[in-house]
Structures are given as C-alpha cells and as structure tokens.
Amino acid sequence: MTMYRGRVHAPRWLLVLALVGASACGGLFRVGPTIAPLISARYLSVHLVAGDTADAQEKARLPTLRDSLAGALPAAWALATQGRGQLFLRNEGDIDVELAGTNGTSALTQHSRGGKVTSRTITVHTIDGNRRLMVPDLMATTLHELGHIWCCYGPGTSGGHWSDPEPTGFSYVGLMFPTIRCQASVGSEPVCPNAFSDRELSEMGLGSP
Ligand SMILES: [Zn+2]
C-alpha cells in the first residue's frame, strides 16, 4: 500500500544528525527443534505488560512507557509491514512482551515441549548501559524482537540476524541486523528504524500484499 511506503524514507534534515544509538539484541534463544511458527504476522496478538523493577526511576516510568507503546504498536506494526500485517493488543495474546525496567539485552525466548512451541516471551529492557531508553528505541526493539518469531533463518543469517555487513548509515528500513541503529541529537527523542525490508517481510510470510 503506497500510503505506508512514503513514510519509511528519511527526511533530509536527519542526515546531519549523528548516529549515536545502537541497541544490541540477544538473538533468538530457542529450546528444542525448530518448527514453523503457527502464528501469523498478518494477524498478530500481543500481551504487553510492565514488569517489576527495583530501580525507582524505571518503576515510575514503566506504566507510561507501557501505555505509550501499547497505543502506538498497532500502527507501528502496520507501518513496519507495509500495511500487510495487523496487530492487536490482547490479555491472551500470541506472545507476551514484558517491559523490564532493568539494564540488559532484549530477547525473544521460546519454550518448547515435544517439538512444539508452547509459549513465547519477549523481554524488552528499558535501560541500555547508561541510557534510559525512550519510546522510539523501545518500539524499534519490540518490532525487532517480534520479527524474530519468523526471521531470520537459513543462508545469509546467523543467530537470527542477517550476517552480511550492516549498513553504516542510518536507514528507516531494515530491522533484523544484530544492532538497531538509531539517530539522536541532544534534547530530542531518537529516530529509529521503523520498517522491515523486503527480504525480512518475505521471511515473515509477508512477501506479497
Ligand atoms: Zn535480534
């Protein structure tokens, strides 16, 4: 749908900003054999919750972060999938996403029993080193981790990520490299990738409208 395509290109003014943010991902931790996921990127339900933390500042931020992400995630998923996927927030979702108010490496964990995936959990950490992440960082991380349900396997991948050299500049397109590169300037929220590339959409079963 053309209404989404136009929004994934960087406005020219962004090119003058420094590339500063780079969030790492723990990759895909799997237990048991790999089977094709039964859930669909075209119609995905997510249970998004704020976790617990001993960090007082994060404890205060988590409810607002959770609400902001929850409000924006359906539209962000539509944008990221060129309008091919729909996302709904549910109490009983296909996958649980927990915002953890701690420093750590965000990851998708799948639990299997008898070769069948019985549950999936994404943990999104809200602190990266010394940075308290903002909604754009957290959204890009959430999209990346959701992408791991389907992507990326086989030739040209390693640990769930593309293994070819990562582009050095900023791009809105491409969410499944090992690091998520955002742009930031002092006093502004970071600007992060927001769209899956064509090969990522293909891996996710969204190769065609
Ligand atoms: Zn990853």
Side-chain angles (χ1 to χ4, degrees):
M1 294 164 78
T2 49
M3 63 181 285
Y4 295 101
R5 274 200 193 110
R7 293 171 59 187
V8 300
H9 298 295
R12 192 162 292 277
W13 64 268
L14 287 172
L15 300 177
V16 302
L17 299 176
L19 191 69
V20 294
S23 299
C25 163
L28 181 58
F29 299 115
R30 277 191 305 256
V31 179
T34 301
I35 59 161
L38 297 176
I39 59 180
S40 170
R42 287 196 191 275
Y43 196 93
L44 178 65
S45 59
V46 171
H47 183 215
L48 179 62
V49 295
D52 205 3
T53 177
D55 183 309
Q57 190 174 341
E58 289 308 280
K59 201 179 187 69
R61 286 201 321 142
L62 281 182
T64 305
L65 289 175
R66 186 264 163 208
D67 288 350
S68 297
L69 275 176
L73 193 53
W77 187 253
L79 173 64
T81 60
Q82 295 188 16
R84 296 169 189 173
Q86 292 177 273
L87 184 149
F88 305 88
L89 292 164
R90 297 264 190 272
N91 285 331
E92 295 288 327
D94 294 322
I95 185 160
D96 292 326
V97 177
E98 182 182 285
L99 281 182
T102 47
N103 181 24
T105 302
S106 300
L108 163 67
T109 307
Q110 300 193 139
H111 306 277
S112 304
R113 191 176 301 133
K116 187 166 177 280
V117 175
T118 52
S119 67
R120 299 174 177 84
T121 305
I122 288 172
T123 302
V124 174
H125 291 275
T126 56
I127 304 177
D128 182 24
N130 294 325
R131 293 177 60 223
R132 291 180 191 268
L133 300 177
M134 292 191 263
V135 168
D137 301 288
L138 298 170
M139 181 61 80
T141 301
T142 301
L143 293 173
H144 173 106
E145 299 301 340
L146 287 171
H148 273 316
I149 298 171
W150 308 274
C151 188
C152 310
Y153 306 103
T157 68
S158 174
H161 303 123
W162 302 119
S163 53
D164 49 297
E166 190 158 351
T168 52
F170 175 78
S171 174
Y172 277 99
V173 181
L175 280 160
M176 300 309 294
F177 281 102
T179 57
I180 300 165
R181 293 164 188 270
C182 301
Q183 283 185 312
S185 60
V186 176
S188 305
E189 289 207 323
V191 176
C192 297
N194 62 12
F196 293 106
S197 65
D198 286 344
R199 64 177 175 170
E200 290 163 1
L201 291 173
S202 177
E203 293 257 327
M204 295 165 67
L206 299 175
S208 56

